[in-house]
Amino acid sequence: MDLDFDAADEEFRTEVRDWLSAQVPAVPLPSLETAAGFAAHREWEATLAADRWSVVSWPEEFGGRGGSLLRWLVFEEEYYAAGAPGRVSQNGINLLAPTLFENGTAEQRARILPPMARGEVIWAQAWSEPESGSDLASLRSTAVRTKGGWLLSGQKTWSSRAAFADRAFGLFRSDPAADRPHRGLTYLMFPLDAEGVTVRPIGRLDGKPAFAELFLDEVFVPDEDVIGEPGQGWRVAMSTTGNERGLTLRSPGRFTAAADRLTALWREHGDPADTALRDRVADAVIGARAYRLFSYRGASHVLHEEGGPAGAASSLNKVYWSELDIALHETALDLLGPYGELADHAAESPAGGAWAEGYTFSLAGPVYAGTNEIQRDIIAERLLGLPKGRR
Amino acid sequence: MRFFPDAEQREFARSLDALLTAGGTPAVIRSWATGDHAPGRALWARLAEAGVFALAVPKEHDGFGPLPVELAVAFEALGRHAVPGPLVETVAAAALLDRLGDPDTAAARLPAIASGTSLVSLCLTSLGPYALDADAADAVFVVDGDTLRLAAGAGPVQPSADPARRLSRPSGGAVVARGPGVTAAAEYAADVAALATAAQALGVGRTLLARTVAYVTQRTQFGVAIGSFQAVKHRLADTLLALEFTEPLVHGAALALAAGDEGAGREIAAAKVTAGEAAYGAARTALQLHGAVGYTDELDLSLWIRKARPLRDAWGTPAACRTRVLAG
Ligand SMILES: Cc1cc2nc3c(=O)[nH]c(=O)nc-3n(C[C@H](O)[C@H](O)[C@H](O)COP(=O)(O)OP(=O)(O)OC[C@H]3O[C@@H](n4cnc5c(N)ncnc54)[C@H](O)[C@@H]3O)c2cc1C
C-alpha cells in the first residue's frame, strides 16, 4: 500500500500545471449555460485540443495522450486547481465516447471522436422523456425501420445544453412488441438541426436557457448512426452509465479545489466562535479528501488488478459526490453571510459568482445521473444483497 | 501508486479474523466486563503471537515496527471482533516509550509489550482524567503536562456506557521523565492512539452493518423481509457509504504517519472524526433496524453498539479533530 507517484507522473503534473498557468483565461468565461458562454467555451475546447489536453486518456489517434486513469486524475486536479473553465463537451467525452469505445464501430470512432475532442461537435444526451425519468425503460419515443435507416419520433426532455449543442444520442423503442420494456430499444445518434427536430429551451432553476426539450417528427437517421445492435440499446446504454455516476463525470479534482477555496474562505471570514460552522467546513474538507483517496484507490485497483470498477460501486460515488458538492457550496454561502444570496451574475457576487453558480449546479446533483434514491436502491440490492422491493 | 492493501496485508487481516472468530470474543467481552480478565489475557497472548503488538515496537526491542499501516489493518480486525482491553493504550504507550529517548526505560518495557506479557494503559490528562482498563494493566503511565509518571495504583473503576471499557483515575506514582521530550513523545503517542482508534471504529462499524444486513434479510413483517423496504435499504446504503469513504481516510492517514509526513496529524484527525461518526451512525442504524431486540444487552450486537460512541470520543473528540483538520 503506498500513495506515491513516480517521477514520470510528477513530470506529467508539472507539464500540465505549466501549460494551464500559461493558457487559462485570466478573466473567467461567461456561464456555459448561455449562448455567449457556450461559444466561448467551444473556443476553449479547441485551445485544449490543439495541445492534446482535451482528452488525455484517449488513444493518440483520436486526439488524446493515451494516459492512464491515474494521469487523468492528476490532470483533473491541476485543471480545477488552476480555475480552468468548465467543460462544455463533457456529455460527449464522458458519456458517448466510452459507449463508442466499448460498443461502436471503428468507422464510428474515427468519424465521431476527433471532432468531439476538438469541441467542433458538441453532444447532448437525449435519454429522459416526460413520462420516463427514474423508470427510463418505460420510454416511448420510437425508431421505425425505413430504407437505409430509421425514423425517430417522440419527445425527449431535460437535455442539458441541447439548446446550443450540435448532435444528440439517445434510446428509442424499435420493437413495440418486445415482451419486456428493456427489450426492443435501439441506441441512436442524430443531429439537432435535422429536419423534423424542434428544440425548445427550458430555463433552469437559475433561468439559464441551455436546458431543452426535443420534439422529433420522423427524423431520418442512417444505419451507420446506430450504436451497437438494433434492439440492444438498453444493454449498450447500461454498459456506460457507470461513467456518468462514477469517476469521469465528477473527478475528485473539482471537489479538492472547492475544498481548498472553502478553507481559504474560512480563514478569511470564519468566526472562530461559530463552532457549528467550523465543523461543517471541516467535514466538507474531509469529505473532499475522502473522495480523492477513494478515487485514487479505485484507480490504482484498475491499474494493478484485472477488471474495471464494479458497476454498482459507481452508485457509491454518485451519492457521495452529489451530497459533498452541496455541502461544500452551502457551507461557502453561509460563510459569505449577506453576500451569499447574490446571483452569479451580480456585479458584487463573491469570487466572480463561482460559489453562487456552483451552488445552483450542485442542487441538481442528487437528481440527474439517476436520482440518489435509485442509487441507494442499487447500493442496497447489489452491494449489500438486500431483497428487491416493489418499484 | 498502489493504494490498497497488498496480498500480505490482506492475508494478515484474514488470519486475525480467523483467530478472533475461533476466540469467541462475545464470551471474552462479557467476562472482561465483570472484571474477570483471564480469558481476555489469553486472547491477548494469541494476538501477540500473531504479531499485533510487535507492530508498535521497534526491531531493537524485539518488535517488527513501527508499522502504522499494518497496525491500522490489525486494529480494524480488533474492532470487527470488539476485542476488549487496553489495546490502543498499549500500542500508544509503546510509541511513547520508543520516542522518549530513554534507552533504559524502552529496554525495560518494550520487549514485554511486543511479546504480549505486558498490558499497558496510558492516560494523557490533557485529553481526560481516565485510564482505560488500568485494573487489568501491568503498568499504567500518566502524562501530565511535561511529566511522565508510572502510576502507583488504578483507583476504583468508574463504569463506562460500554461495560467492557473499565475506566479509573490512576493515582500517584514515580516520575519516569520530565521535559519537552515527554510532551513531544506524548503528542506522537496520541496520534498513534487516534489512528488505532479510528481503525478500530471502522471495524466496529463494519460488523454492525454486516450483522444488521443479515438480520433484515431474515426478519419478516407484513409478509416480506424488512430488508425489502426502501426506508430500511436506504439507511443501510448510507451506512455502507459512510464506511466505504472512511476506509481510504484511515489507510491514507496510516501511510502519512508511516512516511513521517508533516501533515500526518491532520490526516489522522480527519480519519478519526470520520471513522467515529461512521461507526456511531452504524450503531444507531443497527439498533433501529433490529427493533426492540436491538435494545437489549442479551443480543451480542449490544457489545458493538455500546462500543461505538466511546470510540467516537476517545483519543480526540469530534470537535477537537475537526479543529485540527482546519489548523493551518
Ligand atoms: C440539471 C439536470 C440535467 C439533466 N440533464 C439531462 C440530460 O442531459 N439528458 C437526459 O436525458 N436527462 C437529463 N436530466 C434528467 C434526469 O436524468 C432525470 O431528472 C432523472 O432521471 C429523474 O427523473 P425525473 O426528473 O423524471 O424524476 P422522477 O423519476 O419522476 O422522480 C421524482 C422523485 O421520485 C423519486 N422516485 C422515483 N422512483 C422512485 C423509486 N422507485 N423509489 C424511490 N424514489 C423514487 C425520485 O428519486 C425523485 O426524488 C437532467 C436533470 C437535471 C436536473
Side-chain angles (χ1 to χ4, degrees):
Chain A
M1 197 148 73
D2 76 61
L3 240 182
D4 297 327
F5 297 103
D6 63 23
D9 292 328
E10 294 296 353
E11 221 170 273
F12 175 79
R13 188 186 284 280
T14 309
E15 193 187 350
V16 175
R17 190 175 293 175
D18 291 348
W19 188 88
L20 288 166
S21 75
Q23 299 292 333
V24 169
V27 180
L29 304 183
S31 166
L32 56 79
E33 309 289 345
T34 63
F38 201 89
H41 279 77
R42 226 190 244 274
E43 271 180 46
W44 168 249
E45 297 282 346
T47 306
L48 275 172
D51 289 327
R52 287 191 301 121
W53 291 117
S54 68
V55 284
V56 291
S57 61
W58 288 13
E60 296 195 12
E61 57 180 311
F62 303 122
R65 290 176 177 245
S68 66
L69 196 50
L70 206 60
R71 290 274 166 96
W72 176 81
L73 284 166
V74 169
F75 172 81
E76 292 279 301
E77 265 173 21
E78 294 301 321
Y79 191 86
Y80 286 102
R87 300 292 301 276
V88 73
S89 59
Q90 57 180 322
N91 272 340
I93 290 173
N94 296 329
L95 300 176
L96 179 58
T99 311
L100 291 176
F101 281 123
E102 213 168 299
N103 298 288
T105 63
E107 182 279 326
Q108 285 173 332
R109 287 194 279 270
R111 171 164 55 95
I112 292 164
L113 294 177
M116 181 192 289
R118 295 191 295 267
E120 287 164 18
V121 176
I122 304 264
W123 290 83
Q125 179 194 20
W127 286 23
S128 303
E129 297 185 5
E131 306 299 329
S132 302
S134 300
D135 184 12
L136 181 63
S138 69
L139 64 87
R140 296 180 192 167
S141 294
T142 54
V144 175
R145 203 80 184 92
T146 186
K147 194 166 172 293
W150 302 79
L151 293 174
L152 309 185
S153 298
Q155 185 183 350
K156 295 285 179 179
T157 191
W158 316 129
S159 194
S160 291
R161 292 174 288 283
F164 308 125
D166 306 299
R167 291 174 64 89
F169 52 92
L171 287 167
F172 293 83
R173 193 162 298 286
S174 51
D175 178 7
D179 52 348
R180 307 222 357 232
H182 303 77
R183 306 235 169 94
L185 299 175
T186 297
Y187 202 152
L188 298 122
M189 302 175 275
F190 57 96
L192 286 167
D193 60 359
E195 206 183 311
V197 179
T198 308
V199 178
R200 188 186 79 85
I202 304 170
R204 300 195 319 172
L205 193 60
D206 57 1
K208 297 211 174 85
F211 227 16
E213 58 185 338
L214 314 173
F215 301 90
L216 305 166
D217 182 13
E218 303 208 324
V219 179
F220 177 76
V221 173
D223 283 324
E224 64 193 36
D225 281 341
V226 172
I227 309 176
E229 292 297 310
Q232 296 295 315
W234 186 259
R235 199 188 52 72
V236 173
M238 290 307 120
S239 74
T240 46
T241 48
N243 288 295
E244 183 172 22
R245 293 168 193 159
L247 225 54
T248 51
L249 184 62
R250 292 294 166 251
S251 64
R254 195 160 80 81
F255 305 102
T256 309
D260 287 346
R261 287 188 288 123
L262 184 66
T263 308
L265 204 60
W266 165 253
R267 299 223 165 106
E268 203 178 320
H269 297 284
D271 170 2
D274 188 347
T275 53
L277 194 50
R278 176 206 65 197
D279 285 357
R280 286 170 54 207
V281 173
D283 283 345
V285 168
I286 294 169
R289 177 158 187 80
Y291 187 61
R292 176 174 189 258
L293 292 177
F294 186 87
S295 305
Y296 274 99
R297 190 180 61 168
S300 83
H301 214 288
V302 172
L303 289 173
H304 294 279
E305 314 264 276
E306 77 290 352
S314 67
S315 296
L316 289 170
N317 266 48
K318 162 75 213 293
V319 175
Y320 199 83
W321 65 247
S322 57
E323 295 189 346
L324 171 63
D325 204 21
I326 292 181
L328 280 161
H329 286 89
E330 277 181 346
T331 307
L333 295 195
D334 286 348
L335 268 171
L336 291 169
Y339 304 100
E341 77 164 84
L342 291 176
D344 61 279
H345 54 275
E348 296 183 3
S349 193
W355 288 118
E357 175 146 48
Y359 169 68
T360 306
F361 183 54
S362 76
L363 290 178
V367 175
Y368 67 82
T371 70
N372 284 7
E373 285 74 23
I374 299 296
Q375 302 313 314
R376 284 185 166 91
D377 277 351
I378 296 174
I379 291 167
E381 289 169 13
R382 303 214 204 129
L383 297 177
L384 293 175
L386 295 179
K388 266 189 169 336
R390 268 198 63 205
R391 284 255 200 291
Chain B
M1 177 84 198
R2 195 194 166 85
F3 180 40
F4 53 97
D6 58 31
E8 213 173 309
Q9 288 157 344
R10 286 200 299 269
E11 182 46 40
F12 179 48
R14 259 196 301 274
S15 69
L16 287 179
D17 272 325
L19 184 165
L20 290 167
T21 304
T25 48
V28 177
I29 299 166
R30 291 184 190 280
S31 310
W32 190 272
T34 64
D36 171 8
H37 300 128
R41 288 201 73 118
L43 186 61
W44 192 286
R46 286 203 292 282
L47 288 169
E49 224 168 280
V52 168
F53 303 103
L55 297 171
V57 173
K59 293 194 185 67
E60 66 261 34
H61 296 298
D62 304 347
F64 310 141
L67 290 171
V69 174
E70 282 70 13
L71 216 51
V73 170
F75 271 78
E76 206 178 312
L78 299 177
R80 276 198 295 274
H81 296 270
V83 178
L87 299 152
V88 168
E89 291 66 23
T90 293
V91 297
L96 183 138
L97 297 173
D98 179 26
R99 281 288 169 116
L100 208 52
D102 169 359
D104 292 343
T105 308
R109 298 279 171 187
L110 292 178
I113 290 178
S115 69
T117 49
S118 181
L119 278 71
V120 183
S121 192
L122 173 67
C123 168
L124 305 187
T125 57
S126 58
L127 295 178
Y130 302 116
L132 180 67
D133 296 320
D135 61 328
D138 303 295
V140 181
F141 289 96
V142 179
V143 177
D144 197 355
D146 68 350
T147 305
L148 172 67
R149 284 183 295 123
L150 178 61
V157 170
Q158 305 292 317
S160 155
D162 172 9
R165 288 171 61 87
R166 296 163 64 81
L167 307 172
S168 56
R169 288 177 187 262
S171 56
V175 171
V176 179
R178 204 191 287 279
V182 170
T183 315
E187 269 169 27
Y188 178 73
D191 276 349
V192 171
L195 175 65
T197 308
Q200 203 181 4
L202 174 59
V204 165
R206 289 277 184 205
T207 295
L208 285 163
L209 175 61
R211 288 186 171 232
T212 309
V213 165
Y215 182 74
V216 303
T217 311
Q218 153 255 308
R219 168 79 172 169
T220 63
Q221 290 291 292
F222 305 100
V224 291
I226 58 173
S228 65
F229 299 132
Q230 211 169 39
V232 169
K233 275 185 188 162
H234 287 192
R235 226 174 142 162
L236 290 169
D238 284 336
T239 306
L240 179 66
L241 269 156
L243 294 168
E244 284 290 324
F245 283 88
T246 295
E247 196 170 280
L249 282 176
V250 171
H251 291 159
L255 287 167
L257 189 68
D261 286 356
E262 211 182 298
R266 217 164 38 212
E267 300 201 13
I268 290 168
K272 172 72 188 27
V273 65
T274 309
E277 300 288 15
Y280 180 54
R284 292 278 321 278
T285 295
L287 196 166
Q288 181 67 21
L289 298 188
H290 277 77
V293 73
Y295 196 70
T296 64
D297 73 349
E298 289 179 7
L299 197 69
D300 284 344
L301 184 76
S302 68
L303 306 174
W304 281 264
I305 289 182
R306 289 182 301 189
K307 209 166 254 340
R309 187 151 179 115
L311 288 182
R312 167 182 175 272
D313 297 332
W315 295 105
T317 60
C321 290
R322 288 181 170 115
T323 305
R324 188 152 188 211
V325 166
L326 292 180

